[in-house]
Amino acid sequence: MSSARDTGPTFRALLIGIDVYLPNRLSNDATYVSLRCCVSDVERIDKILSARITMPYKSTKLLAPNIGRGAPGGDRKTWPTYSNMKAALDELLASTQPGDHVYIHYSGHGGRVPTMFTHLKPGGVDETLVPMDIGDGSTPYLRDLEIAHYLDALTTKNQATVTVVLDSCHSGDATRGNDFAPRCATGARKGADPTLDTTERPTGGVAPDDALSASWNRLEATGRALRGAAATTWLPEAKDYVLLAACRDVETAIELQRGDEAGGVLTTAFIKALTEAGDDQTWKTLYERVLAHVHSRYPSQTPQLLGQGARQILGSKLRPVVSTVTVKDVDVARRRVKLGAGRVTGTPTGAKFGIYPLGTTDFTQVDRRVGVATIEKMMAVESWASLEEGAAIEAVKLGAPAVLEDVGSIALRRAVNLFHRDDLAPGIDQDRALGAVGAEIKTRGRGFLELATGEAPYYQVALDKDRHYEIWDGSGKPPTWGRWRSTHRTAPRSWSLDLSIFSGIRPSWRLPPLSRGSRTGSASSSSPRRRRGRWASQLWAGP
């Protein structure tokens, strides 16, 4: 256990790793066999957290290491028995202060038991964490409703930021070979569900039943707007915490027991992603990296993310999340990438995606793109895309984010040319006025608008003799419909975001087609012809 200061927010970690399960046999003849890598999971998590957390860090570890004697070594007070797990959660609840960050990591077996809360659980079962002393018939499981009760108290009463990572499962018998082990009960008699334990055990150790129900209902109520396609019932979908679970309810959480990546598959992928993450990484972008890493090696296991996906990892500030797809495979020889977008997402052949480095959260920095890939082979939920010439295929990483930029017939990224004219009065400060437009595009264009740098522009912005801003199409020809005018005598602001919407605005002036030299911010033109009819798409640039 590491120390923490008495003042200021503290990052509090409860880390539970169980390699040794004392002798046990369930009502269906299944057993929770001992594992090999749960303790190392926790030790690695403790190391990466202590390296990356900037606030005071305090960790509590409950470990059952396998020392080959049928029982773990060390102090019994640090064994992950039911009573010690409950005591550690109680202490976490008692010590956590408003503003603290709480991280709970569990590596070990998961299980299921019949529920008493049938009004809350249509499936009729509670999901559980399995204490190392579950072989004692008087030892209860730590049920999902009890965990939810602690999370509800930590987030509402204690006002803490809470994260839970569960590297366990409650579905098994899906792995084969000496190098793998499922983290759930196995070996039940024929026809019996190995993961469902019907042994009568004590209940009610954490809180009264009505308090457990109330906590569950409160958490569910907060998450109704978040509810999506997550395929896990470990905990309610709630906005007050983040849950990263190892797999879907019908899948197995795998432990790789040998080799360089020995450990829980989820924990290993999570540590790898956390090591590579930037300071402003969100849980959603981190999860995409975890999912790609796991699926590339073990497609039968699908990690699940519930809760505040837009929250910073290891922090509480919310950040906007851009809709992205993930690079799921890289074919270096054929210079192509497999993207997580296909027919079901409505992505057409010919669509273009900008591919960014791992951990990118600001997609307005177009110069950070690794390259642009064009969809060439469409499948149901995935597609192969060819990488543009000149881009380094070696720089495209598994799990990297890709942003849709062009759907073939409609480009989503618009280039804007700031057009200097030579027929205006010398007193009109074009540099200042057009510079204000450029600044707004850079700061508020969000990557959908960018200044033209030699390519043909989609829009042009210029001034007229009355110091109004005018918006033209790329060639100087009038678009077919619409008009827009502002009487504000200030530099343009939020209107810059609307350029991609007002693609049919009629201009006041008609310009001849531009030469290459006139597509820069310093280009000039001869006097344009005055156009009859209403003038439109103008903003006042000020005196």
Side-chain angles (χ1 to χ4, degrees), residues 58 62 72 93 198 276 331 352 355 392 404 409 442 478 485 517:
K58 181 176 182 179
L62 300 179
L93 192 58
T198 59
E276 298 170 346
D331 185 344
K352 297 181 184 296
I355 301 175
L404 181 65
S409 61
K442 289 180 179 179
R485 180 180 182 178

Side-chain angles (χ1 to χ4, degrees), residues 112-126:
R112 300 188 304 155
V113 297
T115 187
M116 298 182 298
F117 301 88
T118 54
H119 60 293
L120 299 176
K121 302 291 197 70
V125 296
D126 291 336

Side-chain angles (χ1 to χ4, degrees), residues 187-429:
R189 60 180 175 270
K190 186 176 181 179
D193 181 351
T195 66
L196 183 61
D197 183 12
T198 59
T199 304
E200 292 188 7
R201 298 177 184 273
T203 59
V206 169
D209 290 350
D210 57 348
L212 297 181
S213 294
S215 294
W216 189 274
N217 285 329
R218 272 194 299 271
L219 291 174
E220 274 202 325
T222 69
R224 283 172 187 153
L226 302 173
R227 193 164 295 130
T232 180
T233 54
W234 258 120
L235 291 169
E237 176 88 64
K239 73 174 181 64
D240 291 337
Y241 57 80
V242 168
L243 167 67
L244 180 62
C247 58
R248 297 170 176 155
D249 288 351
V250 296
E251 296 174 339
T252 299
I254 301 170
E255 176 181 285
L256 180 62
Q257 297 190 329
R258 300 180 186 178
D260 294 338
E261 292 194 349
V265 168
L266 172 71
T267 299
T268 297
F270 178 52
I271 291 173
K272 182 177 178 62
L274 199 57
T275 302
E276 298 170 346
D279 294 339
D280 62 349
Q281 190 87 33
T282 66
W283 274 105
K284 180 181 180 295
T285 53
L286 188 84
Y287 167 72
E288 289 169 349
R289 172 62 176 163
V290 170
L291 179 62
H293 182 85
V294 173
H295 261 189
S296 68
R297 294 163 174 80
Y298 311 99
S300 64
Q301 180 173 336
T302 308
Q304 300 290 297
L305 180 71
L306 274 69
Q308 296 178 318
R311 201 184 81 196
Q312 278 183 311
I313 55 171
L314 311 181
S316 60
K317 182 179 179 181
L318 292 176
R319 292 178 176 270
V321 177
V322 175
S323 180
T324 62
V325 300
T326 303
V327 174
K328 307 188 79 172
D329 197 2
V330 180
D331 185 344
V332 176
R334 301 177 66 177
R335 288 186 55 78
R336 62 178 190 166
V337 297
K338 182 184 286 185
L339 300 177
R343 293 189 185 93
V344 297
T345 60
T347 307
T349 301
K352 297 181 184 296
F353 285 83
I355 301 175
Y356 287 77
L358 280 171
T360 298
T361 57
D362 183 358
F363 295 97
T364 66
Q365 301 178 24
V366 183
D367 58 342
R368 294 196 63 209
R369 284 184 306 192
V370 175
V372 175
T374 303
I375 299 293
E376 59 180 19
K377 182 180 179 181
M378 183 69 58
M379 295 171 283
V381 295
E382 298 173 330
S383 301
W384 282 105
S386 58
L387 193 65
E388 65 183 349
E389 292 297 326
I393 187 69
E394 296 80 6
V396 179
K397 302 301 182 182
L398 192 68
V403 177
L404 181 65
E405 296 184 354
D406 188 332
V407 294
S409 61
I410 303 175
L412 301 183
R413 194 181 297 279
R414 310 296 201 188
V416 181
N417 180 54
L418 306 180
F419 197 87
H420 282 66
R421 294 170 50 177
D422 59 6
D423 62 325
L424 298 183
I428 297 177
D429 191 346

